[in-house]
Amino acid sequence: MKAYDKQEKVLVAVDCIIFGFYEGQLNLLLIRRDFEPRRGEWSLMGGFLRESESLDDAAARVLRELTGLDQVYLEQFRAFGEVNRDEGERTVSVGYYALINQENVQPQLSADYAAHWVPLNEIPPLIFDHSDMVKAALRRLRHRATHEPVGFELLPEKFTLTQLQWLYEAIFGTPIDAGNFRRRLRKMDYLQRLNEKDTTNSRKGAWYYQFVSEGYAMAKRNGADFLLKP
Amino acid sequence: MKAYDKQEKVLVAVDCIIFGFYEGQLNLLLIRRDFEPRRGEWSLMGGFLRESESLDDAAARVLRELTGLDQVYLEQFRAFGEVNRDEGERTVSVGYYALINQENVQPQLSADYAAHWVPLNEIPPLIFDHSDMVKAALRRLRHRATHEPVGFELLPEKFTLTQLQWLYEAIFGTPIDAGNFRRRLRKMDYLQRLNEKDTTNSRKGAWYYQFVSEGYAMAKRNGADFLLKP
DNA sequence: ACAAAAGTGTTTTTCTTACACCCATGA
DNA sequence: TCATGGGTGTAAGAAAAACACTTTTGT
């Protein structure tokens, strides 16, 4: 059955669902296509897999091409393989989602691509099956954010607990009880409080915190598991 | 960037991690390759994607070719795309795991392929990255089995609660407290008790149960969520 | 009557939830 | 001094864990 000759090859693409967080809003980085097919329509950022790179590498390259960023949190979530999902040639696409702290990215993008941050609840219709991809990516993000400390990728190095709460409210689309949310955070000793306050939102000021990944690694080795739900 | 011409096509395969359950043991269906490369070594069952079929279709076809079974629980869990993961030509593989009630399958397999059920804790070294695939599939199965009633796919239509407990013990590799396990089951009113007992394991006999999927669908609509952990 | 699996109950502890409350401070 | 967001505490209840207990029946 599985002989290598005479098999049909297909195009393989990666598409990136790029999440950003800014001013309490969860956003998606979308492009308006300036190439055929479907020129001018909204779409995810994607590209074809090259012979010399892995899927993960391809996703990182595509992301770098659009944002100029490297070292970004990037996770594959699913392959999409319906026969007619794409126009033109048959293409299998592998979906990746990225989490980036939006403040770092504003400037350099849009240079080569017509890229825009779009609030998650105002996503326009997308080409092909890209809307399905977004839905699947969001499901995965919600799951990961509850069980692993990936949310911090969307925040600046220093953040307040209120910002963190806003982030989770944005990810899940529900309000969260501040008291209960903060109690869970209080037990995470890998959240380090800095000697510095953010006073932009209140007179009292909110402490800045920092996620200490080595601390988390240690806690994990000791059997602690991250859990943060709405 | 994303123009359709002059792109490099690659081979796309699907590989199936086929779980079966029999006599308290969780098993994997593996083949000894009777073709090159790596003739004679252990491997997962796989095949190449054809132009006219979706990824899901391809996985179902591969499974049917090996087991003769249709209508099997089959779920994609991840694409594998390292450059040198395969020998010979560059191949991207999409992993699917299947859950089948092993009693239905014993006879017809092995006809064309040298297929064998191997206990999960006695898996031999596998070719390529197939061992990684198995690990990833098992992680996904563990997750799905706790949050969705997929475990029943591995059991006969009629099963006892003790069998179900054995299944979960096998999936998670840990002992489970019978009292607590059964209390959770007792609340699932979509588990229908039949007027029939299994007396092979005890004099008293254990009631047979049946999973009623319409009942589960209704419970789900009413906001109930399945949860069954070790 | 007793062994052995099937099945139920009970107690203890831990985690959630809802919500009231205090704190700090600039205007 | 008071409004506002930041932050803590607590009582009621739900759920998890541990384990003792009862039931059934072939031998």
Side-chain angles (χ1 to χ4, degrees):
Chain A
M1 39 58 70
K2 200 170 173 180
Y4 282 81
D5 30 311
K6 301 229 182 162
Q7 294 296 339
E8 297 147 353
K9 297 186 179 184
V10 297
L11 287 171
V12 174
V14 296
D15 282 299
C16 293
I17 290 81
I18 305 168
F19 292 101
F21 186 65
Y22 191 64
E23 293 183 345
Q25 266 281 354
L26 197 58
N27 302 304
L28 227 54
L29 190 56
L30 298 176
I31 62 171
R32 268 195 186 278
R33 292 165 73 95
D34 60 345
F35 45 87
E36 295 299 337
R38 306 285 199 113
R39 181 186 299 271
E41 295 189 31
W42 288 102
S43 127
L44 295 170
M45 180 71 187
F48 289 103
L49 176 71
R50 298 178 184 163
E51 283 273 2
S52 60
E53 64 188 2
S54 69
L55 286 169
D56 290 0
D57 291 344
R61 170 177 55 80
V62 164
L63 193 64
R64 190 172 52 245
E65 285 171 4
L66 181 65
T67 64
L69 284 180
D70 233 323
Q71 307 292 339
V72 166
Y73 182 89
L74 199 52
E75 188 192 350
Q76 188 205 302
F77 63 94
R78 177 146 149 44
F80 294 80
E82 292 302 310
V83 176
N84 294 312
R85 55 168 294 282
D86 203 327
E87 295 174 6
E89 283 207 67
R90 170 79 193 277
T91 306
V92 168
S93 178
V94 180
Y96 280 78
Y97 73 93
L99 305 180
I100 64 190
N101 167 14
Q102 206 168 318
E103 286 162 24
N104 298 348
V105 201
Q106 293 291 7
Q108 57 257 61
L109 57 80
S110 284
D112 297 331
Y113 302 99
H116 304 269
W117 285 110
V118 181
L120 198 63
N121 41 19
E122 299 170 21
I123 301 294
L126 304 178
I127 63 161
F128 304 158
D129 53 356
H130 286 195
S131 300
D132 296 336
M133 290 187 177
V134 171
K135 265 186 218 141
L138 184 59
R139 264 199 303 275
R140 182 68 144 260
L141 169 60
R142 283 180 177 153
H143 185 263
R144 262 291 183 286
T146 58
H147 297 288
E148 294 287 333
V150 298
F152 305 103
E153 306 283 339
L154 287 158
L155 295 171
E157 274 292 303
K158 303 186 297 185
F159 53 86
T160 68
L161 300 188
T162 310
Q163 280 179 285
L164 185 57
Q165 181 179 340
W166 286 343
L167 170 63
Y168 271 74
E169 289 177 332
I171 291 176
F172 290 93
T174 71
I176 298 178
D177 181 285
N180 297 331
F181 188 74
R182 300 172 83 101
R183 179 188 10 263
R184 282 196 284 258
L185 296 175
R186 224 176 296 147
K187 303 185 215 161
M188 301 180 183
D189 44 2
Y190 42 88
L191 278 188
Q192 185 175 56
R193 198 182 79 184
L194 306 179
N195 277 322
E196 196 184 349
K197 282 191 163 190
D198 170 31
T199 51
T200 54
N201 285 303
S202 78
R203 357 246 129 138
K204 182 179 175 183
W207 291 107
Y208 274 120
Y209 283 77
Q210 204 175 14
F211 175 73
V212 184
S213 50
E214 308 81 48
Y216 174 66
M218 187 184 300
K220 202 173 179 182
R221 274 195 302 276
N222 295 341
D225 31 331
F226 189 87
L227 187 70
L228 207 46
K229 331 172 271 177
Chain B
M1 38 59 72
K2 199 170 171 179
Y4 282 81
D5 30 311
K6 299 227 184 165
Q7 294 296 339
E8 297 148 352
K9 296 186 181 183
V10 298
L11 287 172
V12 173
V14 295
D15 283 299
C16 293
I17 291 81
I18 305 167
F19 292 100
F21 186 65
Y22 190 64
E23 294 184 344
Q25 267 281 353
L26 197 57
N27 302 303
L28 226 54
L29 191 55
L30 298 176
I31 60 169
R32 268 196 187 276
R33 290 165 74 94
D34 60 345
F35 46 86
E36 293 302 335
R38 306 285 198 113
R39 181 187 299 271
E41 296 189 31
W42 287 102
S43 130
L44 295 169
M45 181 71 185
F48 289 104
L49 176 70
R50 298 179 183 162
E51 283 273 2
S52 60
E53 65 187 0
S54 69
L55 286 170
D56 290 359
D57 291 345
R61 170 177 54 80
V62 164
L63 193 64
R64 191 172 50 246
E65 286 171 5
L66 182 65
T67 64
L69 283 181
D70 233 324
Q71 307 290 338
V72 165
Y73 181 88
L74 201 51
E75 189 192 349
Q76 189 206 301
F77 62 94
R78 177 147 152 40
F80 293 80
E82 293 302 311
V83 176
N84 294 311
R85 55 168 295 281
D86 204 328
E87 295 175 5
E89 283 208 66
R90 170 80 193 275
T91 305
V92 167
S93 179
V94 181
Y96 280 78
Y97 72 92
L99 304 180
I100 63 189
N101 167 14
Q102 204 168 319
E103 285 163 24
N104 298 347
V105 199
Q106 291 293 7
Q108 57 256 62
L109 58 81
S110 285
D112 297 332
Y113 302 101
H116 304 270
W117 285 110
V118 180
L120 197 63
N121 41 18
E122 299 171 19
I123 302 293
L126 304 178
I127 62 160
F128 305 159
D129 53 357
H130 286 195
S131 301
D132 296 335
M133 291 186 176
V134 170
K135 266 185 215 139
L138 184 59
R139 265 199 301 275
R140 182 67 143 262
L141 169 59
R142 282 179 177 154
H143 186 264
R144 263 289 182 290
T146 58
H147 296 289
E148 295 287 334
V150 298
F152 305 104
E153 305 283 339
L154 287 158
L155 295 171
E157 273 293 301
K158 303 185 297 184
F159 53 86
T160 67
L161 301 188
T162 310
Q163 279 179 285
L164 185 57
Q165 180 179 341
W166 287 343
L167 170 62
Y168 271 74
E169 290 177 331
I171 290 176
F172 290 93
T174 72
I176 298 177
D177 181 286
N180 297 331
F181 188 74
R182 299 172 83 102
R183 175 184 17 248
R184 283 197 284 258
L185 297 174
R186 225 176 294 148
K187 302 186 214 159
M188 302 180 181
D189 43 3
Y190 42 87
L191 279 188
Q192 186 175 57
R193 200 182 79 186
L194 307 179
N195 277 321
E196 195 182 349
K197 282 190 164 191
D198 169 30
T199 51
T200 55
N201 285 302
S202 78
R203 348 223 140 164
K204 184 180 177 185
W207 291 108
Y208 275 120
Y209 283 76
Q210 203 173 14
F211 176 73
V212 185
S213 50
E214 308 81 48
Y216 173 66
M218 187 184 299
K220 201 173 179 182
R221 275 194 301 276
N222 295 342
D225 30 332
F226 188 87
L227 186 72
L228 208 45
K229 331 172 271 179

